[in-house]
Amino acid sequence: MEQECGVGAGLEGPGGAAPAPRPRKAARKRQEAAAAAAIPRGRPKSGRVWKDPGKKRFSHMVQDKALHTSWARKMKERQERKLVRDLARQLQEGKRKEREEKKRRREENLKRRLENERKAEIVQVIRNPLKLKRAKKKQLRRVEKRDTLALLQKAPARRKAAAEQAGE
């Protein structure tokens, strides 16, 4: 007897027709799921109709192995992050120093300008307050109060010096 190898060889039934092949496991599961889906579900007792009963718990899901990098690569990345952080810190520090320097220069310039204005002022000491009462509004607007103690102390010294020179 010779046996033939081929599709459907030797599987013929008494009538000469091949019987229906059995479906595989995956195909069988799909068919069962389709049959289950065809049966209408009743209303759940909890009343939560939006819940899907076919959901699996997270613990039943197949987990992939976590991707992990080598220790050397991890150290290299950490070193790079540190370098970037240091560079950013240096840039911020430079900007902060520039701002402080600019602020300090601006304050010095303002102080010097005020001193120069005070030196350039023409000061007239008013010893008689009645003059202020007689002054007009326009004149009073121009009058500014200053600490004239230094001027008063300097002025008599000059007069005494001038008087001594004249007396000699």
Side-chain angles (χ1 to χ4, degrees), residues 9-67:
L11 293 177
E12 294 177 4
R22 280 183 45 187
R24 292 185 180 155
K25 284 185 179 178
R28 198 176 323 141
K29 282 187 179 178
R30 263 188 261 125
Q31 286 176 355
E32 289 173 6
I39 300 170
R41 272 179 41 222
R43 187 175 178 84
K45 184 154 188 155
S46 64
R48 297 179 180 177
V49 293
W50 61 89
K51 289 283 190 170
D52 186 14
K55 281 190 177 176
K56 301 290 183 206
R57 292 190 181 275
F58 184 76
S59 59
H60 291 133
M61 291 174 65
V62 177
Q63 301 290 329
D64 288 338
K65 201 170 194 179
L67 298 172

Side-chain angles (χ1 to χ4, degrees), residues 3-11:
Q3 289 185 342
E4 295 179 25
C5 290
V7 179
L11 293 177

Side-chain angles (χ1 to χ4, degrees), residues 86-113:
D86 289 344
L87 182 63
R89 192 177 295 125
Q90 284 177 354
L91 290 174
Q92 287 178 348
E93 189 70 22
K95 284 183 180 180
R96 188 182 62 78
K97 283 184 180 179
E98 273 185 36
R99 281 197 303 266
E100 287 178 1
E101 183 65 26
K102 202 172 183 181
K103 186 178 180 181
R104 191 183 57 76
R105 275 201 319 265
R106 189 167 50 239
E107 287 173 356
E108 286 176 0
N109 288 341
L110 190 64
K111 190 175 178 183
R112 195 168 56 244
R113 187 181 298 134

